[in-house]
């Protein structure tokens, strides 16, 4: 047991530094096989966020596993896992940090177990099951999973953990709907299942060995408050700094002038995502690369162009990266102006529309397009388009198309973000070599359109969008675009506000059929079950929304047409809604909610988010 504040870890040398504090922890290297060989059960506590790993992280994890399997070297290092073991007599052990990685490993093992069963090898399936859950030594029956997963997927995960699971995803357990759990977990499981379905038995065994050889630093914390302190520190550093530390050492060894100040600015601009930023810089110039080879390629880039030039280019890219992640309208305008893109910075319509596209992409947590856009901007400037209004319009449409694509495919259809990674990487390389910005952009947009999800898939998923604390920003964004379609930036009514400093937004989401209906409405269960559906929602000003309360739809229409009419900010949209649905207000129920959800979905796909 050590008295430490934080520790450094190197994949080759283990613990490298220890700083003194008052918290008692046990940093112990262990493999996944060793972790699962214990009798401990692990639990994601209620205060943890939902399981949120997506296909992007899953793809990178599988690729790294395959690299280590192929090289037959040391196991893949996954960082630290922090457990709260305040009372070792209590089980299960609570996961303070690492639930995303652990849950993903279990899902991968479930896919491997399923593949072993398909191959008819019940012995491997049974041995894999012993690592997924507990099994009775006398009856062979499942005694429950080793992981009590996040509540957002817990019911479905428990079903999948059982060896009798047949690979099907139920939408209900008894009367309880688990459709959201299926939507959250099925894409990742399907991705893993697709990756292992071609394995023969030797290949499956090698892959399982790579999983079991994956190793972590296990940290057992005996004080919950200190556990959160360690959690913050490990997440502030983490594996991201390994590549950057190696690169910094390389640059210092070459005595780059003023490197300390330049490097500090690069780190600050990265906003805590230095590994991602370094990868995006490389991709913007040279196309696709894997994380495992990133340092070697960055070093080769430095040797090719010179270490000082590499630092200069990294500095320029880091400023761009910071603007894409954080800039407001004025900051974006200033960036375009400072980089010579005056056809954009001098046109409010163009730079504000680009800002709105960026605002949406930030909401969707999409950053894969950063290398592509940087390369496109470099081509835009290099080919003399800085003052060209026609080229600037194409630049604006590039941002617009990226926003619309990722809304359809990722925000709504929950597809893997990496399905366009190679397209983006290839066109980053093409832009870096192109002498015709507009032709390259047109060809990119043509190929992007081909990858947009079909209307049937989009409509089906859009109809399921529901109001919840987690989805409020997305729903506000949707109504922002619905309310402002075709309007100039100067005429827009901001429904969605991405500024985290604004605690009370100007607009709220109104439930047309109230959440707590008046007694005389005689509510039916089916309608109440649909009250949070997007077909029942509207965006209204904060004060207007509060004045409608739990009135019936008919009474709300009367108020919106009467005493509240003058204070409605998004009048055009609300008036269109009233014209269309006023006659249905008295009989507003789940059928009409479903019908409006379908109408909104079709309008969204064919008009609002249609790529130009």
């Amino acid at each position: 047991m050590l008295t430490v504040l934080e520790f450094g870890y190197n994949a080759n040398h283990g613990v490298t530094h220890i700083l003194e504090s008052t918290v008692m922890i046990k940093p112990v290297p262990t493999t996944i096989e060793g972790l699962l060989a214990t009798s401990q059960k692990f639990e994601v506590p209620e205060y943890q966020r939902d399981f949120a790993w997506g296909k992007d992280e899953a793809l990178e994890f599988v690729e790294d596993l395959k690299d280590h399997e192929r090289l037959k070297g040391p196991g893949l290092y996954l960082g630290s896992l922090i457990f709260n073991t305040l009372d070792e007599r209590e089980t299960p052990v609570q996961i303070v940090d690492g639930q995303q990685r652990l849950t993903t490993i279990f899902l991968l093992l479930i896919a491997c177990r399923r593949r072993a069963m398909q191959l008819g090898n019940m012995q491997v399936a049974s041995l894999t099951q012993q690592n997924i859950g507990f099994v009775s030594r006398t009856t062979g029956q499942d005694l429950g999973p080793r992981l009590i997963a996040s509540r957002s997927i817990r019911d479905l995960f428990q079903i999948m953990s059982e060896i009798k699971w047949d690979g099907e995803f139920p939408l209900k357990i008894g009367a309880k709907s688990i459709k959201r759990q299926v939507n959250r977990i099925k894409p990742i499981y399907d991705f893993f299942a697709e990756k292992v379905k071609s394995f023969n038995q030797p290949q499956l065994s090698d892959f399982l060995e790579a999983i079991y050889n994956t190793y972590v630093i296990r940290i057992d914390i005996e004080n919950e408050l200190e556990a959160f302190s360690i959690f913050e520190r490990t997440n502030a550093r983490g594996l991201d700094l390994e590549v950057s530390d190696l690169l910094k050492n390389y640059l210092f060894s070459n005595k780059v002038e003023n490197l300390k100040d330049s490097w500090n600015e690069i780190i600050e601009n990265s906003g805590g995502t230095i590994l991602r930023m370094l990868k995006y810089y490389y991709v913007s110039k040279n196309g696709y690369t894997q994380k495992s080879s990133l340092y070697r390629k960055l070093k080769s880039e430095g040797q090719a162009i010179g270490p000082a030039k590499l630092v200069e280019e990294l500095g320029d890219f880091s400023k761009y990266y910071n603007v894409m992640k954080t800039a407001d309208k004025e900051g974006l305008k200033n960036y375009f102006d400072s980089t010579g893109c005056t056809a954009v910075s001098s046109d409010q319509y163009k730079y504000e529309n680009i800002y709105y596209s960026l605002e949406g992409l930030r909401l969707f947590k999409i950053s894969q397009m950063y290398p592509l856009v940087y390369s496109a901007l470099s081509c835009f400037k290099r080919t003399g388009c800085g003052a060209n209004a026609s080229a600037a319009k194409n630049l604006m449409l590039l941002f617009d198309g990226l926003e619309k694509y990722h809304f359809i495919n990722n925000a709504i259809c929950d597809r893997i973000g990496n399905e366009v990674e190679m397209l983006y990487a290839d066109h980053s390389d093409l832009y870096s070599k192109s002498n015709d910005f507009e032709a390259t952009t047109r060809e990119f947009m043509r190929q992007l359109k081909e990858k947009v999800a079909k209307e049937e898939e989009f409509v089906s998923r859009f109809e399921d969008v529901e109001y919840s604390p987690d989805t409020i920003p997305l729903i506000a964004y949707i109504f922002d675009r619905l309310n402002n379609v075709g309007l100039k930036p100067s005429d827009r009514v901001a429904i969605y506000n991405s500024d985290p400093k604004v605690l009370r937004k100007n607009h709220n989401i109104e439930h047309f059929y109230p959440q707590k209906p008046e007694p005389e409405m005689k509510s039916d269960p089916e309608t109440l079950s649909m009250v949070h559906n997007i077909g029942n929602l509207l965006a209204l000003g904060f004060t207007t929304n509060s004045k409608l309360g739990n009135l019936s739809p008919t009474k709300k229409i009367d108020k919106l047409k009467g005493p509240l009419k003058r204070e409605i900010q998004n009048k055009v949209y609300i008036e269109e809604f009233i014209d269309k649905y006023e006659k249905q207000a008295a009989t507003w129920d789940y059928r009409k909610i479903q019908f409006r959800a379908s109408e909104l979905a079709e309008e969204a796909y064919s008009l609002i988010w249609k790529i130009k």
Side-chain angles (χ1 to χ4, degrees):
M1 186 175 293
L2 299 172
T3 305
V4 302
L5 173 61
E6 69 181 274
F7 63 90
Y9 189 80
N10 179 283
N12 296 316
H13 301 105
V15 177
T16 58
H17 63 273
I18 299 173
L19 302 180
E20 185 169 323
S21 181
T22 58
V23 58
M24 306 299 285
I25 71 171
K26 304 173 186 177
V28 179
T30 185
T31 62
I32 292 300
E33 183 176 33
L35 190 72
L36 300 181
T38 69
S39 60
Q40 286 181 321
K41 181 179 288 190
F42 304 100
E43 179 181 24
V44 179
E46 295 299 321
Y47 58 76
Q48 283 278 17
R49 67 191 180 108
D50 292 342
F51 176 66
W53 259 33
K55 294 178 185 176
D56 294 349
E57 293 89 348
L59 175 63
E60 191 167 20
F61 179 42
V62 169
E63 287 177 344
D64 287 343
L65 274 175
K66 287 185 174 180
D67 283 345
H68 281 75
E69 176 192 348
R70 176 175 54 82
L71 297 172
K72 301 296 182 184
L76 174 65
Y77 174 57
L78 275 186
S80 59
L81 299 178
I82 304 177
F83 301 104
N84 180 14
T85 58
L86 181 59
D87 187 344
E88 293 184 352
R89 295 169 299 176
E90 290 186 1
T91 58
V93 171
Q94 292 199 332
I95 305 169
V96 176
D97 183 33
Q99 67 131 328
Q100 310 290 338
R101 284 164 287 162
L102 266 185
T103 305
T104 302
I105 286 170
F106 277 108
L107 290 174
L108 186 53
L109 287 174
I110 290 170
C112 290
R113 180 195 67 196
R114 182 75 182 153
R115 180 57 186 157
M117 296 174 73
Q118 291 169 344
L119 291 169
N121 194 327
M122 293 307 298
Q123 183 178 11
V124 171
S126 179
L127 290 171
T128 307
Q129 179 61 26
Q130 290 178 31
N131 290 308
I132 297 169
F134 297 100
V135 179
S136 170
R137 295 182 180 179
T138 57
T139 66
Q141 296 297 308
D142 285 316
L143 298 178
R146 289 183 177 272
L147 174 69
I148 301 176
S150 160
R151 185 165 293 279
S152 63
I153 61 168
R154 186 171 296 173
D155 301 311
L156 178 58
F157 182 83
Q158 182 160 345
I159 291 174
M160 296 172 66
S161 296
E162 297 175 0
I163 196 168
K164 65 181 181 181
W165 182 58
D166 59 3
E168 297 296 319
F169 289 86
L171 297 181
K172 288 186 176 182
I173 299 178
K176 180 180 180 181
S177 171
I178 59 168
K179 187 175 181 179
R180 289 186 186 178
Q181 297 188 36
V182 172
N183 288 340
R184 190 181 291 269
I185 205 172
K186 186 176 183 295
I188 298 180
Y189 174 81
D190 285 348
F191 171 75
F192 285 150
E194 180 68 23
K195 288 294 181 183
V196 303
K197 77 174 185 180
S198 62
F199 287 179
N200 57 30
Q201 186 55 61
Q203 290 170 327
L204 179 61
S205 295
D206 287 345
F207 190 61
L208 281 167
E209 184 176 2
I211 296 172
Y212 294 142
N213 284 340
T214 297
Y215 68 105
V216 298
I217 295 296
R218 173 174 178 157
I219 306 173
D220 288 344
I221 304 295
E222 298 179 356
N223 179 301
E224 188 168 53
L225 292 177
E226 293 290 0
F228 290 114
S229 178
I230 294 292
F231 170 74
E232 291 174 358
R233 287 170 172 80
T234 54
N235 278 279
R237 288 187 60 84
L239 270 176
D240 279 9
L241 292 186
E242 289 188 0
V243 172
S244 65
D245 279 345
L246 289 169
L247 183 62
K248 182 174 68 173
N249 290 338
Y250 161 73
L251 295 171
F252 268 108
S253 71
N254 282 273
K255 297 181 172 58
V256 176
E257 189 175 355
N258 298 322
L259 178 60
K260 184 176 180 181
D261 291 340
S262 299
W263 190 257
N264 286 341
E265 183 180 8
I266 289 168
I267 292 293
E268 184 176 350
N269 284 336
S270 76
T273 57
I274 183 64
L275 174 61
R276 179 178 295 171
M277 193 192 78
L278 290 173
K279 180 178 179 179
Y280 286 168
Y281 159 76
Y282 183 85
V283 172
S284 73
K285 292 192 65 181
N286 302 288
Y288 180 75
T289 185
Q290 289 187 336
K291 183 177 70 176
S292 56
S293 59
L294 179 59
Y295 169 65
R296 175 173 55 80
K297 291 185 175 181
L298 285 170
K299 184 177 178 181
S300 296
E301 184 76 8
Q303 291 168 336
I305 66 175
K309 183 64 174 176
L310 177 61
V311 173
E312 179 186 339
E313 290 191 355
L314 282 172
D316 289 342
F317 187 85
S318 75
K319 293 172 186 175
Y320 155 81
Y321 184 80
N322 183 258
V323 165
M324 293 297 105
K325 283 168 60 69
T326 65
D328 56 14
K329 292 178 191 175
E330 192 63 25
L332 187 67
K333 176 182 182 296
N334 291 340
Y335 176 77
F336 282 125
D337 195 47
S338 68
T339 54
C341 300
T342 54
V344 177
S345 62
S346 62
D347 188 328
Q348 181 188 10
Y349 177 77
K350 289 186 175 67
Y351 73 73
E352 288 200 3
N353 270 299
I354 290 175
Y355 170 77
Y356 293 130
S357 293
L358 270 180
E359 191 178 47
L361 289 161
R362 291 170 186 169
L363 171 65
F364 314 149
K365 295 180 171 56
I366 298 296
S367 60
Q368 293 98 324
M369 81 294 175
Y370 286 177
L372 172 82
V373 171
Y374 186 76
S375 190
L377 283 170
S378 298
C379 178
F380 182 83
K381 293 178 286 185
R382 187 182 67 251
T383 56
C385 294
N388 185 318
S390 172
K393 181 179 179 181
N394 277 313
L395 181 65
M396 180 187 73
L397 291 176
L398 173 63
F399 279 90
D400 180 75
L402 290 167
E403 176 200 3
K404 289 174 177 177
Y405 169 84
H406 285 290
F407 171 75
I408 292 172
N409 280 41
N410 302 122
I412 298 300
C413 294
D414 197 29
R415 287 193 176 187
I416 180 171
N418 282 63
E419 68 180 349
V420 288
E421 184 174 16
M422 293 307 299
L423 174 66
Y424 288 3
D426 289 346
H427 276 78
S428 294
D429 189 40
L430 287 173
Y431 270 120
S432 70
K433 299 170 182 175
S434 173
N435 292 317
D436 191 332
F437 167 78
E438 293 187 86
T440 306
T441 301
R442 285 194 295 270
E443 176 58 21
F444 168 75
M445 296 299 289
R446 183 190 69 79
Q447 294 188 36
L448 184 67
K449 288 178 186 179
E450 292 177 352
K451 292 184 174 293
V452 173
K454 300 301 182 186
E455 183 173 5
E456 182 180 1
E457 178 185 355
F458 174 83
V459 169
S460 173
R461 298 301 294 269
F462 188 95
E463 288 173 345
D464 288 337
V465 173
E466 289 192 341
Y467 177 93
S468 74
D470 290 338
T471 61
I472 288 174
L474 178 62
I475 291 172
Y477 161 85
I478 290 171
F479 280 107
D480 183 278
R481 299 310 191 253
L482 289 169
N483 277 250
N484 291 302
V485 61
L487 297 180
K488 296 178 180 180
S490 57
D491 297 329
R492 289 175 63 96
V493 176
I495 307 296
Y496 173 65
N497 189 329
S498 61
D499 189 346
K501 298 188 291 295
V502 178
L503 299 180
R504 196 181 84 174
K505 310 301 183 184
N506 290 332
H507 286 77
N508 276 8
I509 302 302
E510 163 68 26
H511 291 72
F512 189 52
Y513 191 96
Q515 299 180 69
K516 297 178 180 179
E518 297 174 313
E520 61 267 25
M521 290 181 65
K522 298 180 181 179
S523 304
D524 61 278
E526 288 177 299
T527 300
L528 287 175
S529 71
M530 292 285 290
V531 73
H532 293 307
N533 185 272
I534 194 165
N536 189 49
L537 305 179
L538 282 169
L540 284 171
F542 179 83
T543 54
T544 309
N545 173 264
S546 64
K547 291 175 183 177
L548 291 178
N550 288 309
L551 296 175
S552 69
T554 300
K555 292 179 180 177
K556 287 180 179 179
I557 293 285
D558 291 341
K559 276 187 170 288
L560 291 172
K561 290 177 65 178
L564 300 182
K565 183 175 181 178
R566 291 190 176 184
E567 66 182 51
I568 298 172
Q569 297 176 32
N570 53 332
K571 287 183 179 178
V572 174
Y573 187 80
I574 296 301
E575 287 174 356
E576 288 178 353
F577 175 84
I578 292 172
D579 288 343
K580 194 168 189 177
Y581 297 108
E582 181 178 11
K583 293 179 180 179
Q584 303 177 44
T587 56
W588 192 259
D589 63 2
Y590 73 94
R591 296 180 189 86
K592 293 179 174 61
I593 292 171
Q594 288 175 330
F595 181 76
R596 179 170 178 255
S598 297
E599 285 191 320
L600 288 176
E602 290 166 5
E603 179 187 4
Y605 190 88
S606 62
L607 176 63
I608 312 297
W609 283 273
K610 184 178 179 63
I611 297 177
K612 299 175 182 176

